[in-house]
Amino acid sequence: GPLISITYIALASVAAVPLGIIIVVSAITFGPWLGGIFVLAGACLGGGISYAIGSHLGHEALCRFAGKRANELSQRLEQRGFVSVFILRLLPIAPFAIVNMIAGATHIRWRDFLLGTFFGMIPGIVIITTLSDWVIGSFSA
């Protein structure tokens, strides 16, 4: 059912399965609209889990783990909150789970993180699910 699917999507996003793959599989499995809704819900849930992990680990541990690039990303996220997260979701610069953990470690506000994730992921999900549906439809025709 939907809750199990959303849970699997959340766990896959925490486990750093590439979000593009999750979106395509969901679009093929559930169709573009329902698959997109499931991915959005699951990715927000998984993002929240990764955010909590980053918050728990703290800034120093995360920068040691992820390196210099993570520290630079951390500083940018902290300064701009919602806008930073929104833009990062539009541009796949870094792995989803790492961005989430960095956001948690930077003490970016939970609300800014969640809203930036939600609204920033919508365009990519719509594009990928629509293209996936189009490709699948052209093979079945």
Side-chain angles (χ1 to χ4, degrees):
L3 291 179
I4 292 172
S5 300
I6 291 168
T7 301
Y8 282 134
I9 291 167
L11 293 174
S13 71
V14 171
V17 173
L19 205 51
I21 292 172
I22 295 171
I23 296 169
V24 169
V25 169
S26 295
I28 291 169
T29 305
F30 303 109
W33 296 109
L34 199 53
I37 291 168
F38 287 176
V39 168
L40 188 58
C44 285
L45 177 61
I49 294 168
S50 297
Y51 176 97
I53 291 169
S55 181
H56 178 73
L57 290 174
H59 184 75
E60 294 79 24
L62 193 58
C63 288
R64 266 195 315 269
F65 173 72
K68 182 181 176 185
R69 185 173 172 194
N71 191 39
E72 293 168 2
L73 182 59
S74 168
Q75 291 171 354
R76 289 190 185 114
L77 280 172
E78 227 167 357
Q79 294 170 357
R80 304 240 193 267
F82 168 81
V83 172
S84 294
V85 176
F86 179 81
I87 291 170
L88 282 170
R89 297 302 182 210
L90 293 175
L91 307 169
I93 304 170
F96 184 75
I98 298 296
V99 171
N100 302 335
M101 286 187 236
I102 292 170
T106 61
H107 306 294
I108 193 170
R109 289 182 9 199
W110 169 255
R111 184 178 137 254
D112 289 342
F113 170 77
L114 192 57
L115 289 173
T117 295
F118 181 84
F119 289 109
M121 289 186 57
I122 290 173
I125 289 172
V126 168
I127 290 168
I128 294 171
T129 56
T130 302
L131 287 174
S132 298
D133 187 53
W134 178 75
V135 168
I136 296 302
S138 56
F139 279 118
S140 62

